[in-house]
Amino acid sequence: MLNYPQVALDFMNRDHAEFISLREKLLSLLTSGSPNDEVDTSLNELFDHTQHHFAEEERLMHEVSFPPFPVHKGEHDAVLADMAARVTRWKQDRDMDALREWLDKNVGDWFVNHVSTMDFVTARFIAAQRPQ
Ligand SMILES: [Fe+2]
């Protein structure tokens, strides 16, 4: 299980929990050698979820003129580019081990690091700007 902190905005915590469950679902499909079309569906769900979540964070950061916006957005863009490349590669080579390794290690490490640093600071900043 991944160990990551709760942040100051509820919608982000809910989205992070959903990300975790989509990642777990995909990992278990890959571990059990499920059919490719089931993996495709699950991978698309994870990718869509990530795109929507990033877009919502970026909308709020923009709204409150969060100063390190470009840094946070830059990391989002890099992650989406990596995910898109992985989806393409998976559809070409159908290598379940490679996809599972990436999801388990790279995505897991990235998620914990990103939530603990950028999301944590961003959520606190946005929550502080809002009228109580
Ligand atoms: Fe983020």
Side-chain angles (χ1 to χ4, degrees):
M1 265 326 238
L2 296 180
N3 191 11
Y4 65 97
Q6 296 294 294
V7 301
L9 293 174
D10 289 341
F11 94 87
M12 283 171 72
N13 291 324
R14 276 196 301 274
D15 278 2
H16 292 158
E18 193 185 338
F19 181 91
I20 292 291
S21 82
L22 291 170
R23 175 178 166 276
E24 293 290 325
K25 182 177 150 193
L26 183 52
L27 276 174
S28 79
L29 289 175
L30 293 167
T31 303
S32 63
S34 298
N36 288 341
D37 61 328
E38 286 182 34
V39 173
D40 287 351
T41 303
S42 182
L43 185 57
N44 282 340
E45 277 173 4
L46 185 75
F47 191 40
D48 282 354
H49 166 89
T50 306
Q51 281 179 302
H52 286 121
H53 173 64
F54 285 178
E56 184 60 10
E57 279 186 15
E58 287 163 16
R59 191 184 67 75
L60 286 170
M61 283 193 274
H62 191 71
E63 201 175 287
V64 300
S65 304
F66 182 56
F69 174 82
V71 179
H72 195 153
K73 184 172 184 343
E75 189 163 312
H76 286 174
D77 290 348
V79 167
L80 291 179
D82 179 48
M83 275 195 180
R86 288 288 165 169
V87 171
T88 302
R89 194 184 304 177
W90 156 249
K91 288 182 177 169
Q92 283 164 357
D93 63 21
R94 299 297 188 186
D95 184 341
M96 282 203 184
D97 288 340
L99 187 61
R100 193 183 60 223
E101 172 75 17
W102 168 75
L103 191 63
D104 188 26
K105 185 84 182 79
N106 301 49
V107 174
D109 287 352
W110 168 77
F111 178 83
V112 170
N113 180 57
H114 185 80
V115 174
S116 308
T117 57
M118 295 201 192
D119 285 353
F120 191 85
V121 172
T122 301
R124 195 171 51 186
F125 182 91
I126 293 169
Q129 304 298 306
R130 288 179 158 179
Q132 298 300 309

